[in-house]
C-alpha cells in the first residue's frame, strides 16, 4: 500500500487505497515553481494564481510518477486540457482552495482514475440542490458528523467520478447523471462512496464499478475515484 504523500498536510493513506499498491498521491500548497518549456504555452496568458496552480500540480504529478519509477517528463495539456501522461501511466490533477494534488497509477494496475480537492465553503441552497439529487440528500443527511459538509462532499466526489470517466469515454456528465451513496469509516473524517445509479450510456458499467474514497483534512475535502483493471488503449 502506497501512502498518501503530502506537503503541509498530515492525513492517513485512506485516499490512496482504491488503487492498491499501484496508486500514489502527492499534495502541496500552490506556489511558484518552474515548469518544462513544453508546458509554458498552456499558461502564457494565465493569471499568476493559475500559473502557480499549474506548476504545482505538474510538480505533484512528476513526484508521484517518480515514486512509480518514471523519469521527469513534461506534462503539457492535450486538446481537452488534460495532462498528456507518459506511456504506461494514467493520472489526474486537481487544485482548490490553495492546494494542488495529483494521483498517478500504472495503466497495468488501473484503467482510469480521478482526484479532486475542494475547500469547504458554504453552499447556496440552489447550488446544493443542483449538485445533490434528492435521493442523495435523503441518504447523506442521516449520516452523523457531516452537518455543513455534505454539499461539498457530494460535489467533490462527483468531480472525481467525472474526471475518472470523461477522458476514458469521451463523455460530458451532469451532476444528476450519477447518484452516489456514502459511508463513514472514521470520526476523523474519511470514508467511501459508490455509484448506485447512473444514466444509461456506455460508461454506465464502469461508473457502477468505481471505487471511491473521501477524506476531510482541515478545511479541505479530497475525493478519489478509481476504475480497476488494465487500461485498454483501444
Amino acid at each position: 500500500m502506497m501512502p498518501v504523500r503530502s506537503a503541509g498536510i498530515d492525513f492517513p493513506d485512506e485516499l490512496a487505497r482504491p488503487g492498491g499498491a499501484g496508486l500514489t498521491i502527492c499534495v502541496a500548497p500552490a506556489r511558484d515553481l518552474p515548469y518544462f518549456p513544453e508546458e509554458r504555452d498552456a499558461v502564457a496568458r494565465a493569471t499568476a494564481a493559475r500559473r502557480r496552480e499549474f506548476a504545482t500540480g505538474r510538480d505533484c504529478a512528476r513526484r508521484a510518477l517518480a515514486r512509480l519509477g518514471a523519469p521527469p517528463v513534461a506534462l503539457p495539456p492535450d486538446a481537452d486540457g488534460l495532462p498528456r501522461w507518459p506511456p504506461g501511466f494514467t493520472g489526474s490533477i486537481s487544485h482548490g482552495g490553495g492546494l494542488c494534488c495529483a494521483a498517478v497509477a500504472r495503466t497495468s494496475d488501473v484503467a482510469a482514475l480521478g482526484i479532486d480537492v475542494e475547500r469547504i465553503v458554504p453552499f447556496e441552497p440552489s447550488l446544493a440542490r443542483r449538485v445533490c439529487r434528492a435521493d442523495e440528500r435523503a441518504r447523506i443527511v442521516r449520516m452523523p458528523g457531516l452537518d455543513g459538509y455534505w454539499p461539498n462532499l457530494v460535489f467533490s466526489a462527483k468531480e472525481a467520478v467525472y474526471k475518472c470517466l470523461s477522458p476514458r469515454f469521451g463523455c460530458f456528465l451532469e451532476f444528476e447523471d450519477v447518484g452516489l451513496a456514502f459511508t463513514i469509516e472514521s470520526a476523523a473524517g474519511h470514508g467511501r462512496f459508490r455509484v448506485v445509479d447512473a444514466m444509461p450510456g456506455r460508461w454506465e458499467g464502469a461508473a457502477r464499478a468505481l471505487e471511491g474514497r473521501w477524506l476531510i483534512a482541515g478545511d479541505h475535502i479530497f475525493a478519489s475515484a478509481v476504475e480497476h483493471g488494465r487500461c485498454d488503449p483501444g
Side-chain angles (χ1 to χ4, degrees):
M1 185 75 60
M2 296 288 291
V4 172
R5 312 283 182 159
S6 64
I9 297 178
D10 294 322
F11 51 76
D13 67 352
E14 278 75 13
L15 203 66
R17 288 181 183 172
L23 180 70
T24 186
I25 300 174
C26 291
V27 182
R31 59 198 189 280
D32 291 315
L33 291 171
Y35 31 76
F36 281 55
E38 299 94 322
E39 299 166 349
R40 287 176 182 162
D41 287 347
V43 288
R45 299 180 181 179
T47 64
R50 172 59 186 144
R51 289 196 297 271
R52 285 192 293 270
E53 292 170 344
F54 182 92
T56 306
R58 261 54 181 186
D59 182 69
C60 286
R62 278 187 276 271
R63 290 193 284 122
L65 284 165
R67 293 180 189 130
L68 295 179
V73 293
L75 299 169
D78 62 15
D80 295 320
L82 301 172
R84 292 191 179 101
W85 300 101
F89 296 91
T90 186
S92 179
I93 298 175
S94 180
H95 53 81
L99 290 181
C100 301
C101 63
V104 176
R106 297 183 180 89
T107 54
S108 58
D109 298 326
V110 168
L113 62 89
I115 194 167
D116 185 68
V117 58
E118 304 286 343
R119 186 185 294 276
I120 298 171
V121 296
F123 264 53
E124 292 291 335
S126 59
L127 179 57
R129 288 193 295 270
R130 177 170 170 260
V131 170
C132 310
R133 299 176 358 171
D135 58 318
E136 291 170 321
R137 293 197 298 273
R139 286 190 294 267
I140 202 168
V141 296
R142 295 194 296 267
M143 298 171 63
L146 288 180
D147 295 342
Y149 288 145
W150 63 266
N152 305 87
L153 178 56
V154 175
F155 181 90
S156 188
K158 288 190 175 183
E159 284 290 303
V161 169
Y162 300 161
K163 290 173 74 173
C164 181
L165 294 174
S166 294
R168 181 155 159 73
F169 294 98
C171 55
F172 179 80
L173 302 175
E174 300 287 354
F175 286 114
E176 66 267 20
D177 288 341
V178 296
L180 304 180
F182 295 82
T183 58
I184 298 176
E185 295 185 342
S186 169
H190 63 80
R192 304 185 186 214
F193 65 89
R194 60 188 176 90
V195 175
V196 294
D197 63 79
M199 291 288 289
R202 64 191 186 98
W203 52 271
E204 181 183 2
R208 290 180 178 273
L210 292 182
E211 184 176 357
R213 289 191 179 262
W214 60 270
L215 172 69
I216 295 174
D219 58 354
H220 287 78
I221 283 182
F222 295 81
S224 64
V226 172
E227 180 189 357
H228 291 287
R230 295 175 61 91
C231 179
D232 179 4

